[in-house]
Amino acid sequence: CTRGREVTGREHLGRRAGGEAVFAGEFGGAATDLDWGRELLAYFDALGMGWTAWSWRGHSHLQHRGEATEFGELVRERLQEES
C-alpha cells in the first residue's frame, strides 16, 4: 500500500521501468483477450520495455496444431512492426 491505497501491478511496473531494465517474460491469451493484449503491448512500448509472448495454461495460447491462434497473430504482427 502507498499512502492508504493499493498500488496496482501497472503502477509498480511503471515505477520500476522508469529507472531499471524491465522485461516482461510471459504473457499471452485467448481470442477473447485481444483488446487486453493490444493494451498491454502499448503499455510496454510507452515504458520502453522489452517483452516476449509465451503462455501455457494447459495448452498454448499462441499456436494450435502448428497454426497461430488469434492471439498468436497479434504477437506476430507486432513483432513484424518492430523489425
Side-chain angles (χ1 to χ4, degrees):
C1 290
T2 301
R3 295 187 187 151
R5 69 179 184 86
E6 183 179 331
V7 176
T8 67
R10 283 193 175 192
E11 290 171 336
H12 183 70
L13 186 61
R15 280 201 303 264
R16 292 297 233 188
E20 300 175 35
V22 177
F23 181 82
E26 178 182 352
F27 75 97
T32 56
D33 300 315
L34 293 173
D35 288 338
W36 169 80
R38 287 184 193 98
E39 182 182 329
L40 189 61
L41 288 167
Y43 183 70
F44 292 162
D45 283 346
L47 294 175
M49 285 179 53
W51 56 270
T52 187
W54 182 84
S55 180
W56 193 275
R57 196 173 19 155
H59 63 281
S60 172
H61 286 275
L62 302 178
Q63 65 86 27
H64 180 71
R65 296 183 183 180
E67 297 294 323
T69 62
E70 290 181 63
F71 204 96
E73 283 295 328
L74 169 67
V75 170
R76 183 188 335 227
E77 290 168 9
R78 185 74 170 117
L79 289 170
Q80 288 174 340
E81 289 174 13
E82 297 292 323
S83 59

